[in-house]
Amino acid sequence: MFVTVVAVLCRLSGAATGSCVEEIVTDSNMSPEMSLMQCAIGAQAPLAKWMGEHPIYRTNWRIERYKCVPGHYEVKSHA
């Protein structure tokens, strides 16, 4: 099954509307062995690593939540 990992990131100082964005972090095309269950259980560490290495999100952002979505996912809002 194809699985997409989607992070919802929010600005630390963002009390305003629109201060959160969705980003596709990875999908099972990049990590073919990932199942929906593996994503739900083990996505926290890869998400933290991704965020620490990302040029935009490594400072002044936090991961509000993440979701593991079966199939392809269309991002609803970008930074």
Side-chain angles (χ1 to χ4, degrees):
M1 175 195 305
F2 184 83
V3 178
T4 302
V5 180
V6 181
V8 177
L9 301 121
C10 299
R11 293 178 198 267
L12 291 176
S13 61
T17 312
S19 62
C20 295
V21 297
E22 290 184 329
E23 286 289 339
I24 293 176
V25 177
T26 188
D27 59 42
S28 56
N29 277 345
M30 292 181 248
S31 180
E33 72 281 351
M34 181 173 57
S35 70
L36 201 55
M37 181 64 78
Q38 289 168 323
C39 176
I41 293 170
Q44 294 91 349
L47 278 170
K49 182 177 187 282
W50 171 85
M51 190 170 175
E53 295 171 350
H54 198 283
I56 295 173
Y57 299 119
R58 69 174 163 232
T59 58
N60 298 322
W61 291 83
R62 75 183 184 315
I63 297 176
E64 181 70 22
R65 65 187 178 278
Y66 73 94
K67 52 191 170 187
C68 302
V69 182
H72 291 281
Y73 185 80
E74 289 293 321
V75 173
K76 294 177 178 54
S77 59
H78 273 291

